Amino acid sequence: MKAMMSHEAGGPDSLKLTEAQTPEPGKDQLRIAVKAAGVNFPDTLIIQDLYQFKPPRPFTPGGEVAGVVDAVGEGVDGFAVGDRVLASGINGGYATHLIANASGTHKIPDNMPFDEAASFMMTYGTSHYALRDRAKLQPGETLFILGAAGGVGAAAIELGKAMGAKVVAGVSSEDKAAFCKDMGADETLIYPRGSLDRASQKKLTTEIKTLCGGGANVVYDAVGGDYAEAALRAMAWEGRFLVVGFPAGIPKIPLNLTLLKSCQIVGVFWGAFTMRNPQKNEEYVAEIFRFYEEGKIRPRITARFPLEEAGKALSMIQDRKATGKIVLTME
C-alpha cells in the first residue's frame, strides 16, 4: 500500500509518500480499498501534535474515506467483500488501504459517488450533532454560522435549512458569500479577516443582529478568535453558542455575557460523542443519510488532489482558502 505519512511534527509539507505492507484486518475490522479521502481541518492539527489525540508516529492522517471492502476480519457481520462503504475515525485515511472498525463503517447508496461519500460523514456528522443534539435547533429559529463556506460550515447551512431555520452565513469574501447563497443561505455577512479591534467587533455584532432580526437563536462558531465575542454579543435571549473550532485562535469570552442573555456556550466534540453514545449516533447517521436521499444535503466538492499532493490540499485548508470540501483521489 501507499500512504502519505507523518514521520515528525510539522505542517502540510512534512508528509511523505511511503510504501508499507498492506495490513490485514483483525477481529471486528474491515480492510477498505480507498477510492477517495476527505481532507478536514483537524488533519492540519493532528500532524502538528495540536489535536486532542496524538497517535504514535509514523502515522497517516485522514479521518474519513470511501471505497470498497476488500477483506473482512473475524466476527464481522453485515459486510462482504465488494461492498461500497464509507468509514470515519481519527487517522489512517490518506492511503490506498485502510483498516476500519466495522462499527465505524457504513454502506453507501448505489448512487452516491465515492468522492461525495468521502466528504460526508465528518462534516455532516459534526454539524448535525451540533444543531440537532447540542443546540436543539427548532423550526423558525435563526442560525448564524461563522466560517460558513468551509466544510462543516457549508454542511451547517444545508442542515439548518433542512431543520427549518433561517440561516445567516458569515464569511470573509464575496466569493465565499456567493458560494453560501448557492448552498441555500438566506442571508450572508462578509466580515474582515484578521484581528478585530473593539470598534470592528461592535460593528460585526450590530450587523449580525440586523440580519438575524434582532439576534441569533443559535451561533455556530467554526472560526473562534475575535469573531467569537462579537457573535456572542449578537445572541438572542436564551440562545445557544456552539463551540466547533478555532482556526482564528482560541477566544477569551467574558462570561457575564451569558448571564445578561441567559444563553448557553456549548461544546461540540462529535468524535468523542460517537464513541460514548454509538446507539444515538446511529440514529443521527440514519437521519443525515435520509436527508441525502431526499436531496436536502449534498457535499460540494470544490477541489480534488491525487494522494501524493495531500500537502497542497492541507495547505488550502490551513490557509482558509477552501470552500466546501476538498478530497484526495486514489485513481
Side-chain angles (χ1 to χ4, degrees):
M1 61 175 275
K2 293 181 179 179
M4 291 296 288
M5 301 194 75
S6 173
H7 295 271
E8 58 185 9
D13 291 341
S14 67
L15 297 182
K16 305 296 182 185
L17 184 64
T18 306
E19 290 194 5
Q21 185 71 31
T22 303
E24 296 296 327
K27 182 177 173 58
D28 300 324
Q29 292 181 329
L30 305 166
R31 188 175 68 211
I32 299 171
V34 177
K35 302 299 183 183
V39 181
N40 297 286
F41 184 71
D43 301 341
T44 70
L45 301 178
I46 200 167
I47 63 175
Q48 300 178 75
D49 288 344
L50 298 177
Y51 194 57
Q52 292 93 324
F53 299 116
K54 296 181 175 63
R57 284 191 170 82
F59 71 87
T60 303
E64 58 180 348
V65 305
V68 177
V69 174
D70 77 346
V72 178
E74 178 189 354
V76 174
D77 292 320
F79 292 96
V81 171
D83 283 344
R84 301 174 77 253
V85 297
L86 61 76
S88 57
I90 302 300
N91 58 283
Y94 293 6
T96 57
H97 293 79
L98 172 75
I99 298 297
N101 293 325
S103 60
T105 304
H106 298 85
K107 294 180 183 178
I108 61 176
D110 290 340
N111 64 344
M112 190 179 210
F114 286 121
D115 54 359
E116 290 187 8
S119 308
F120 190 73
M121 191 58 68
M122 187 166 289
T123 50
Y124 288 106
T126 297
S127 293
H128 182 275
Y129 169 62
L131 299 177
R132 174 71 80 208
D133 190 283
R134 304 302 286 144
K136 295 178 172 56
L137 182 66
Q138 299 299 309
E141 289 192 316
T142 300
L143 167 65
F144 176 69
I145 305 168
L146 280 165
V152 293
I157 292 173
E158 290 185 301
L159 289 167
K161 294 303 297 179
M163 294 176 189
K166 174 184 177 180
V167 176
V168 179
V171 293
S172 59
S173 72
E174 290 282 358
D175 288 347
K176 290 182 178 181
F179 173 82
C180 291
K181 275 287 190 180
D182 187 57
M183 292 293 296
D186 297 289
E187 303 282 355
T188 58
L189 186 160
I190 300 174
Y191 46 70
R193 293 181 66 96
S195 300
L196 304 181
D197 58 23
R198 180 57 63 187
S200 297
Q201 283 184 314
K202 188 173 181 180
K203 181 175 182 290
L204 178 57
T205 295
T206 300
E207 291 173 341
I208 296 170
K209 282 183 176 180
T210 300
L211 290 176
C212 290
N217 300 111
V218 175
V219 168
Y220 183 107
D221 181 10
V223 177
D226 293 338
Y227 306 94
E229 182 177 336
L232 183 61
R233 289 181 180 276
M235 297 204 71
W237 179 255
E238 294 185 343
R240 288 86 72 200
F241 184 100
L242 299 170
V243 180
V244 182
F246 319 104
I250 298 175
K252 296 180 179 179
I253 299 294
L255 287 179
N256 65 303
L257 297 176
T258 61
L259 183 151
L260 295 172
K261 294 176 178 291
S262 197
C263 66
Q264 303 173 48
I265 298 176
V266 186
V268 178
F269 192 175
W270 174 71
F273 162 75
T274 64
M275 292 183 282
R276 290 172 176 268
N277 200 335
Q279 184 173 352
K280 177 65 73 173
N281 181 59
E282 285 302 312
E283 295 176 20
Y284 291 165
V285 168
E287 182 167 72
I288 59 176
F289 269 118
R290 186 171 71 251
F291 283 157
Y292 180 86
E293 294 279 23
E294 293 171 352
K296 294 179 179 178
I297 61 176
R298 184 169 186 173
R300 305 295 177 93
I301 300 166
T302 56
R304 296 170 177 83
F305 293 88
L307 176 63
E308 60 269 22
E309 294 183 9
K312 292 182 180 179
L314 283 172
S315 292
M316 284 187 69
I317 297 284
Q318 185 170 270
D319 297 340
R320 297 168 63 188
K321 294 180 179 178
T323 55
K325 285 291 296 189
I326 298 174
V327 297
L328 304 179
T329 56
M330 307 305 158
E331 41 178 59

